Amino acid sequence: MKKTISFITAVASLLACCNITAFAENTQTPANVDEAVYAQLMKHKFLYDLDSDGVITDAELAQTEYLSIDLDGISDLSWLKKLTSCNDISFSNGNITDFSILKELPTLKYMDMRNVPITDISFMKDLHLESCCLYEMDQITPEQRAEVLHFTAPEIWEGTAARIECQPRNLLDYDISIADKDTAAFLNGTTSASYVYDYIYGVSAGKTTYTISYGGKDLYTGDITVKKAPQAYDPALHDTGIDNFEVEYSHFYNYDAEDGRLGNVALLNGILYSIRGSEVKVLETDVADYEYFSKRTYNNDYNRADMVLKKDGTLLVNGEPVTDIKVKSMRNGYYLGENGNIYTLVPKGDGFITTTVATDSKGWIDGCEPFYVSDNGHIKYYSTKIIGDGRVNVYTGSTYIGEPSDACCVGSNCYVINGRTLYEIRYSDTLTKNVIAEDVVSVRASDDGLYAEYTKADGTVEKIAGKNVYNTHPERALGIYNGVFYIHQYQYRGIREDDAVFNYFIQNDDKTMSLAFLGDWCGLTNVESEVCCTYDEAMGHGFVYFLRTDGSIWKYDLDAKQWQEAVAGTSPIVIPQEDQPVRGDVNADGKFNIADAVLLRQWLNSSYDAFIPNIKAGDLCEDNRLDEADLEIMEKELIKAR
């Protein structure tokens, strides 16, 4: 031993005298894993060798978020516990059957297995996976898969909807059925679905059950609770109405350069408003139409235009008037002059110039693109193709159909009647034309826009199945209109993406709107349509806007829980809260105790069954989010109260 120490001392002295640094001090140590594992990691070192020095270390494995490994020739998985940041793993092949080590991966959310010879997947119960796919593993039965699934017991406000959350997703393609359709039903009006992410709508307050089944065999039964919704806010209506209304994106009038997102503008009764955060601002008056238009340039960038058509025929493109042309109407970057000519905007530099598309036009066919009636009484079509900066080739062609007596549009199909023949026409790259029926006197689109219907001379009415129809709303079977808001800024506050995306529902009969967001509910009567959602960065509050049947626009502050008539500019109206939440009472049982701290910790750890009904009560830091700081205060207060 002494000789060994003396030798080491001598070598160290020699290195010091020669000003040579020991190589071991600067060399990274490869990760302590089996050679077969390390060899596979090196094949995909761009994923794991984070500093690109040719060595994968234990420290780099600890930062790895994704792992894909073929288990052939590998017999030990104990090294997996090094992957403390990994949230996505893919396994294939091999002979390993014990995967209990995965319980030591705190961030694991997604897992795939392909041709892995396990026969027992019960270990998955403790993994809290969000998604798991098993490929080429028919030895795992549907019953085994169902055993490891976790299902929620949804609580839904009456008049709103929610999903039955299942974890892990994708493990089993099951069917869902609901026992009592008078209490809850799917948005299409049925009580069964094979699509597991379908929304369940709260029809009326009460309780019912749902059943999970596979191949006709029931595997699981859970509860659905529909809560009685509070009274919707019902301010008096003005003695006014809606002349015209539309909502569009805006680049020129309302662009958030810091966030890189387009804002919203709304045209209502001849006034164009911008809507940003809590502010509604008048942009232009005497407006007949508005359109946001973007077009790919010759160098494959995009130029963008806010097109405002004034009632006097003046067209503003990004605030600048188009001179020498009085405009009757516009659509998709094309506009029809009072002289009958059709024009379009062509990208040039950072802006646009005007190019003539057709000079033989008598006018557009309402709603049918890209068709117009020519001077000689034929239906023609047009298109353009950019060939240079500010230059396009213009194409026009005839359908050889005479001027229509009636027409309508469904999806991208145009239905026109010439004489008494009904044609279906469509143009994209080529023209398609079909005769639908003879002896037809009128044609119209259905109220829901899903099909066309025509009336024959003898009075019979026939339907045409819709083709190329988008944005359909099957929820109308329940007598509701459903839409979705998404406020991405809430995710910066620690809110899940699924919760930053939320639905609103408008009853067709009485126009009452219901909306649920993070456990809270709000409602408004006499709602004609949604307008938009926004976020006020200065306030740190989210807002949703709705148009009422009297032509007023109302906004709801999701954080302050108050309504305000935005366009009229009245004082904020605060909705009185029936019960003030007990501080810290996140489980909403009316008291603050250790159960609330346990629930909050489970929720922060993303436990699959941790649902917090009272978010606000847990925000002890009063910073509009729930995090470890709130839990720390909660635990301290509980200790003091002992």
Side-chain angles (χ1 to χ4, degrees), residues 139-196:
Q139 74 273 20
I140 306 299
T141 66
E143 289 76 12
Q144 286 178 288
R145 296 168 187 248
E147 276 292 317
V148 301
L149 295 179
H150 302 289
F151 296 96
T152 58
E155 293 188 0
I156 310 169
W157 288 107
E158 187 179 35
T160 66
R163 291 189 180 104
I164 295 173
E165 293 191 19
C166 166
Q167 289 187 343
R169 301 186 303 269
N170 304 314
L171 190 59
L172 180 66
D173 293 329
Y174 51 79
D175 297 321
I176 306 177
S177 60
I178 303 172
D180 180 11
K181 67 178 181 180
D182 293 328
T183 301
F186 293 103
L187 286 180
N188 62 4
T190 67
T191 56
S192 61
S194 57
Y195 183 60
V196 300

Side-chain angles (χ1 to χ4, degrees), residues 32 38 43 80 85 92 130 141 229 257 351 360 365 414 438 451 454 501 526 528 537 572 621:
N32 185 18
Y38 193 80
K43 288 181 180 179
L80 285 176
S85 300
S92 60
E130 292 184 14
T141 66
D360 61 343
I365 302 174
C414 186
E438 300 287 354
Y451 58 88
Y454 59 91
V501 179
N526 298 295
E528 182 67 29
E537 297 288 354
C621 292

Side-chain angles (χ1 to χ4, degrees), residues 34 36-37 71-79 94-98:
D34 290 345
V37 173
L71 298 177
D72 277 344
I74 297 174
S75 59
D76 176 40
L77 294 180
S78 61
W79 56 274
N95 296 306
I96 295 177
T97 58
D98 182 5

Side-chain angles (χ1 to χ4, degrees), residues 29-69:
T29 302
N32 185 18
V33 297
D34 290 345
E35 289 184 9
V37 173
Y38 193 80
Q40 279 201 54
L41 296 178
M42 287 300 293
K43 288 181 180 179
H44 305 282
K45 61 182 179 181
F46 65 93
L47 290 173
Y48 312 115
D49 183 11
L50 303 182
D51 59 7
S52 301
D53 66 348
V55 179
I56 301 173
T57 66
D58 282 337
E60 287 173 323
L61 286 184
Q63 300 177 61
T64 295
E65 296 183 0
Y66 171 74
L67 173 72
S68 179
I69 192 86

